[in-house]
């Protein structure tokens, strides 16, 4: 019987050694030291052995039990530590791996240009006034003093809808009358940004849609020198202090007198090059004193009120500033182009 016990002991110890994971260990414990385990079954044989052998057998079985128990505890601790280490190792973060880069968005170059323009006029007390992209012939042309057969009203210039009186605005000047009609008889100082549409041949220099920023100031004491001062200061802030400006007489139906403002060429600094067609100057906006008829159409008495207006194209400004030679780039959505700004 003792020999059988020793054999069982040796076998059990061998199996314990071989166990590679805690789940196997649990089964081993149940089959060995559990209430129905092999050692327990051996204890029940106690009555069958000769009386004189019983003390030795009893002692031996107790030693076997406690040794197996100790061996089990030790193995359990070993396996648990190993399993935990394996789990930690497999879920660990490798801090030496390069990070995954988040794709980053940015503001469109025209949005940046617009915001720059807003900031400058905002500092001068101009508020942003928005009107619709869809306009009527009345606001886009008639109330702005366009003669009935002015070429700009022709089919090839405007995008018409099925209703011949409803068009896409061809310039932001259409909003001038709306602003005046809302503000009169109070003074006005607004800029009107927005997308404009013209049914033109698409080339590197002209597009069928583009943004404009209109400006309008109306009051009882506004002169041409206010116009010049405002726009000169604007150009200084937008392009830098060493850019010179000049005003040239021009014509628009809704302003009288009218003027275009030029700045010295960005590329040649006024010496003359291909971009400025050897003149040294680049035209950047149209402007003028609001025509008396237009003031009247907006609700202001031209004997009491005067005003100035101006209009510029942010695409053109960005093209000149950054040396972009094709206006179509702005709306092609080529990220290689857009990411440069
Ligand atoms: N609306 C004119 C254009 O589109 C620009 C302009 C605005 C001129 C206001 C004078 C005054 O060319």
């Amino acid at each position: 019987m003792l020999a059988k016990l020793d054999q069982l002991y040796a076998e059990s110890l061998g199996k314990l050694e071989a166990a590679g994971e805690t789940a196997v260990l649990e089964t081993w414990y149940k089959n060995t030291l559990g209430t129905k385990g092999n050692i327990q079954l051996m204890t029940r044989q106690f009555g069958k052995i000769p009386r004189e052998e019983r003390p030795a057998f009893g002692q031996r079985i107790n030693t076997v039990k406690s040794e197996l128990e100790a061996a089990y505890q030790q193995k359990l601790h070993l396996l648990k530590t190993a399993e935990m280490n394996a789990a930690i190792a497999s879920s660990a973060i490798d801090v030496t791996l390069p990070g995954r880069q988040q794709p980053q968005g940015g503001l469109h170059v025209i949005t940046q240009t617009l915001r720059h323009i807003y900031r400058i006029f905002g500092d001068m007390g101009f508020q942003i006034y928005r009107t619709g992209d869809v306009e009527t012939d009345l606001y886009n042309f008639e109330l702005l003093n366009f003669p009935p057969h002015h070429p700009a009203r022709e089919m090839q210039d405007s995008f018409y809808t099925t209703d011949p009186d409803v068009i896409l605005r061809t310039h932001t000047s259409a909003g001038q009358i709306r602003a005046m009609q809302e503000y009169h008889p109070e003074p006005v100082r607004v800029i009107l940004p927005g997308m404009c549409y013209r049914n033109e041949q698409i080339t590197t220099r002209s597009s069928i849609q583009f943004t404009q920023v209109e400006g309008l100031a109306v009051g009882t004491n506004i002169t041409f020198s206010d116009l010049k001062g405002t726009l000169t200061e604007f150009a200084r802030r937008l392009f830098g202090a060493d850019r010179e400006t000049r005003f040239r007489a021009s014509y628009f139906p809704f302003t009288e007198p009218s003027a275009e403002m030029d700045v010295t060429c960005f590329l040649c600094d006024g010496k003359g090059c291909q971009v400025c067609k050897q003149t040294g100057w680049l035209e950047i906006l149209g402007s003028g004193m609001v025509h008396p008829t237009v003031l009247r159409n907006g609700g202001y008495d031209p004997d009491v009120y005067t005003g100035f207006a101006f209009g510029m194209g942010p695409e053109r400004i960005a093209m000149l500033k950054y040396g972009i030679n094709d206006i179509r780039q702005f709306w092609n959505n080529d990220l290689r182009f857009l990411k440069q700004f």
Side-chain angles (χ1 to χ4, degrees):
M1 210 48 152
L2 259 179
K4 227 176 140 188
L5 180 62
D6 282 340
Q7 195 195 342
L8 186 62
Y9 174 62
E11 267 175 31
S12 300
L13 217 52
K15 281 184 193 159
L16 188 67
E17 281 310 315
E21 47 186 294
T22 47
V24 178
L25 214 58
E26 298 308 320
T27 319
W28 177 91
Y29 192 88
K30 231 175 93 193
N31 296 340
T32 313
L33 293 168
T35 39
K36 286 178 188 155
N38 294 331
I39 302 293
Q40 203 58 38
L41 294 180
M42 192 67 98
T43 316
R44 292 205 198 127
Q45 308 283 315
F46 204 66
K48 289 183 189 159
I49 56 175
R51 197 168 286 273
E52 60 281 11
E53 283 177 26
R54 283 182 194 173
F57 183 76
Q59 231 172 26
R60 182 73 189 132
I61 203 161
N62 280 339
T63 319
V64 164
K65 262 190 198 171
S66 62
E67 274 175 13
L68 283 179
E69 181 72 40
Y72 165 79
Q73 289 301 343
Q74 208 183 354
K75 182 81 181 182
L76 186 68
H77 178 72
L78 216 80
L79 283 185
K80 272 195 170 160
T81 314
E83 279 172 15
M84 193 160 75
N85 285 341
I88 288 171
S90 70
S91 65
I93 294 165
D94 181 354
V95 291
T96 64
L97 272 179
R100 284 183 209 102
Q101 276 212 312
Q102 291 288 352
Q104 222 178 9
L107 293 176
H108 192 280
V109 55
I110 292 303
T111 307
Q112 292 178 35
T113 308
L114 282 170
R115 290 192 180 180
H116 197 177
I117 295 170
Y118 299 164
R119 201 154 57 236
I120 297 168
F121 284 112
D123 288 348
M124 297 188 200
F126 285 78
Q127 293 198 321
I128 293 179
Y129 191 92
R130 290 184 191 275
T131 60
D133 292 31
V134 178
E135 263 300 353
T136 56
D137 184 89
L138 186 69
Y139 283 88
N140 197 81
F141 295 123
E142 211 173 306
L143 296 175
L144 287 171
N145 199 33
F146 277 82
H149 297 293
H150 192 280
R153 303 173 74 140
E154 293 290 305
M155 291 292 272
Q156 62 262 36
D157 275 328
S158 310
F159 281 112
Y160 282 82
T161 62
T162 46
D163 178 345
D165 284 330
V166 177
I167 61 170
L168 296 180
R169 67 173 163 215
T170 61
H171 54 177
T172 44
S173 303
Q176 279 190 26
I177 304 285
R178 296 195 180 272
M180 284 192 265
Q181 288 180 347
E182 183 176 329
Y183 279 98
H184 81 91
E186 298 296 321
V188 184
R189 203 187 289 174
V190 291
I191 52 170
L192 307 100
M195 191 65 87
C196 301
Y197 309 84
R198 287 185 199 172
N199 193 2
E200 285 180 352
Q201 183 72 38
I202 300 173
T203 68
T204 54
R205 303 184 61 89
S206 72
S207 172
I208 57 168
Q209 74 177 79
F210 51 91
T211 55
Q212 273 194 346
V213 178
E214 189 87 3
L216 176 68
V218 179
T220 48
N221 200 16
I222 292 180
T223 65
F224 194 84
S225 51
D226 293 318
L227 178 158
K228 280 188 82 173
T230 303
L231 294 177
T232 306
E233 173 60 15
F234 163 74
R236 217 202 311 275
R237 282 200 52 191
L238 189 70
F239 302 119
D242 24 281
R243 222 36 52 213
E244 280 175 55
T245 51
R246 74 172 183 191
F247 285 82
R248 256 183 312 102
S250 184
Y251 172 79
F252 301 101
F254 40 93
T255 48
E256 182 58 38
S258 303
E260 281 174 329
M261 186 169 81
D262 298 342
V263 292
T264 42
C265 180
F266 302 93
L267 266 136
C268 63
D269 247 331
K271 290 183 201 77
C273 68
Q274 262 193 322
V275 171
C276 60
K277 300 195 187 89
Q278 309 304 331
T279 64
W281 295 94
L282 296 167
E283 180 232 312
I284 59 153
L285 56 82
S287 64
M289 299 305 288
V290 183
H291 195 287
T293 305
V294 175
L295 280 174
R296 201 176 297 114
N297 291 341
Y300 292 88
D301 179 354
D303 290 331
V304 181
Y305 293 90
T306 51
F308 67 78
F310 55 86
M312 64 185 79
E315 282 88 346
R316 183 169 163 79
I317 287 173
M319 284 171 85
L320 297 174
K321 202 170 158 182
Y322 299 113
I324 299 162
N325 53 20
D326 190 340
I327 197 171
R328 294 170 293 191
Q329 295 273 27
F330 291 115
W331 313 111
N332 275 351
N333 279 337
D334 184 338
L335 286 177
R336 290 169 304 177
F337 169 77
L338 295 174
K339 275 185 172 163
Q340 297 177 94
F341 305 99

